[in-house]
Amino acid sequence: MTKILKSNTVGIKEAAEILRCGGLVAFPTETVYGLGANGLSETAVKLIFKAKNRPDNNPLILHVSSLEMASEVAYEIPVIGKKLLEKFWPGPLTLVVKKSDKVPVNVSAGGKTVALRMPDHPIALSLIKEAGFPIAAPSANISGKPSPIEAGDVLSDLDGKIDAVIDGGKCRVGLESTVVDVTQNKVKILRHGAISLEQLAELLDYKPEIDTDKSLIDLHEIKYAPKCSIKLFTLDNAPFIGVKDGIVALSFSPPPSIFSIKLSSLEEYAAKLYSILREADKKNIKILYMEKPSNSGIGAAILDRLQKAESR
Ligand code: AMP
Ligand code: MG
């Protein structure tokens, strides 16, 4: 049985103790729920891959609560990386840097780099501080399922497979972090996420490169796969929907159906995307028509997830 812990001091202390003993605890962050283990223990990290059924060639993000902690697991943080973290940490930006010897081989999937992030969530930060080590944490779902944005989602995938989950309510952003490679002292976007290309460009005074060699992330990325089939549409190409179909619209009020959702902003789209996918499956929707967001701001990250869900 997976224990449900309260998001208070007692719950956080108990969660930290489980992590110190090599166990697995899911916890809320501002992006999605993470499945945490001691990020300095190869044995503990191994359990994450097993619980999630995650391919072992997919590296994990280490979550830190301070710059000192980040510096211990990084061989170096380049100047450009420091500039980014000064602006966006704590927050949904993950930096890929050269790793130090302290990073277990399975965290970096055998590579020479490590992905680091300081989450902007009081429970996540308190848990990392209380544990005293970086916490390795991918999303707390079975690989290939939509990421969890509340404790109930975690339990529906992982109940009985992990020691505990801290129930901290719904996640604010609802989509994973933006991943950028800074090892070459320039910024390359590996995965779109909650920090947009425009926000990065404003700080950098240039448009960061987007990884065109998609092989790495495509190989690793989950398929964000609900059971229903996803079909994307635009306003000038709006679909006729059948009685068993669902529709999610952003720029107009969709006709009523058994699953008809109107979203009013890109932020709301991001925050609700994964729960919409899970809900559509609970209602046995066959086809879910979803309006394409614009490819700017957080829209790029939403579109990326939608296209993966559509093309699987
Ligand atoms: P998740 O934790 O499931 O949101 O996935 C983490 C993402 O970060 C995956 O797409 C990984 O491929 C990527 N990632 C983690 N570590 C590295 C790394 N060292 N180099 C490149 N990408 C990484
Ligand atoms: Mg994930």
Side-chain angles (χ1 to χ4, degrees):
M1 269 280 284
T2 297
K3 191 164 182 184
I4 302 172
L5 300 172
K6 289 215 172 94
S7 58
N8 57 20
T9 318
V10 178
I12 287 166
K13 279 199 188 317
E14 188 169 342
E17 184 56 23
I18 295 171
L19 293 175
R20 275 193 288 273
C21 294
L24 298 182
V25 179
F27 60 96
T29 78
E30 79 279 29
T31 59
V32 302
Y33 272 70
L35 177 58
N38 178 349
L40 301 182
S41 160
E42 189 177 344
T43 326
V45 166
K46 213 170 172 180
L47 298 177
I48 293 181
F49 286 93
K50 192 164 169 235
K52 278 182 61 87
N53 196 18
R54 183 176 172 107
D56 58 13
N57 63 357
N58 191 356
L60 303 179
I61 297 170
L62 287 183
H63 293 72
V64 299
S65 58
S66 66
L67 255 183
E68 294 71 51
M69 205 183 257
S71 308
E72 277 182 35
V73 284
Y75 171 75
E76 63 171 359
I77 299 179
V79 175
I80 196 74
K82 289 198 178 118
K83 189 169 176 179
L84 289 181
L85 66 83
E86 273 163 23
K87 168 86 179 165
F88 295 110
W89 278 11
L93 182 72
T94 297
L95 302 179
V96 172
V97 299
K98 290 190 185 125
K99 77 181 188 81
S100 82
D101 295 343
K102 285 197 175 176
V103 180
V105 65
N106 52 358
V107 166
S108 53
K112 294 195 167 94
T113 57
V114 65
L116 302 177
R117 179 166 106 82
M118 188 188 291
D120 184 16
H121 193 291
I123 297 165
L125 285 173
S126 307
L127 180 63
I128 305 163
K129 273 187 204 142
E130 184 67 31
F133 45 70
I135 298 182
S139 48
N141 53 316
I142 298 284
S143 279
K145 291 271 211 91
S147 294
I149 58 147
E150 55 189 312
D153 298 340
V154 175
L155 290 171
S156 68
D157 277 14
L158 297 172
D159 194 11
K161 295 184 172 178
I162 62 175
D163 298 293
V165 54
I166 304 178
D167 187 352
K170 283 203 170 128
C171 301
R172 174 170 56 84
V173 178
L175 286 185
E176 298 83 352
S177 61
T178 305
V179 181
V180 297
D181 182 328
V182 291
T183 53
Q184 305 305 315
N185 209 19
K186 59 179 182 166
V187 176
K188 182 151 89 171
I189 298 179
L190 301 183
R191 174 176 76 183
H192 288 292
I195 300 290
S196 67
L197 180 142
E198 292 84 350
Q199 281 172 286
L200 293 169
E202 194 183 328
L203 179 75
L204 297 168
D205 278 334
Y206 63 84
K207 223 174 146 180
E209 191 185 327
I210 300 173
D211 186 30
T212 45
D213 171 18
K214 282 286 203 179
S215 55
L216 180 76
I217 286 286
D218 274 352
L219 174 76
H220 293 153
E221 267 303 345
I222 59 168
K223 297 284 193 288
Y224 302 98
K227 281 185 262 159
C228 59
S229 73
I230 303 291
K231 289 198 195 313
L232 303 185
F233 68 89
T234 51
L235 180 58
D236 49 0
N237 194 5
F240 287 105
I241 59 166
V243 281
K244 291 197 171 165
D245 299 338
I247 182 163
V248 177
L250 186 60
S251 58
F252 63 97
S253 290
S257 80
I258 51 168
F259 194 77
S260 180
I261 292 172
K262 165 78 174 83
L263 299 166
S264 46
S265 66
L266 287 177
E267 285 67 31
E268 191 187 3
Y269 208 152
K272 294 189 173 161
L273 175 62
Y274 290 134
S275 56
I276 288 173
L277 297 183
R278 282 180 183 263
E279 199 55 34
D281 279 348
K282 278 188 203 145
K283 294 208 158 136
N284 278 318
I285 302 299
K286 297 280 174 289
I287 303 174
L288 180 60
Y289 293 94
M290 302 188 79
E291 187 170 347
K292 268 188 181 178
S294 61
N295 192 13
S296 61
I298 199 168
I302 301 168
L303 192 58
D304 171 67
R305 295 349 179 237
L306 288 175
Q307 283 168 339
K308 283 185 180 125
E310 185 186 39
S311 71
R312 94 207 125 87

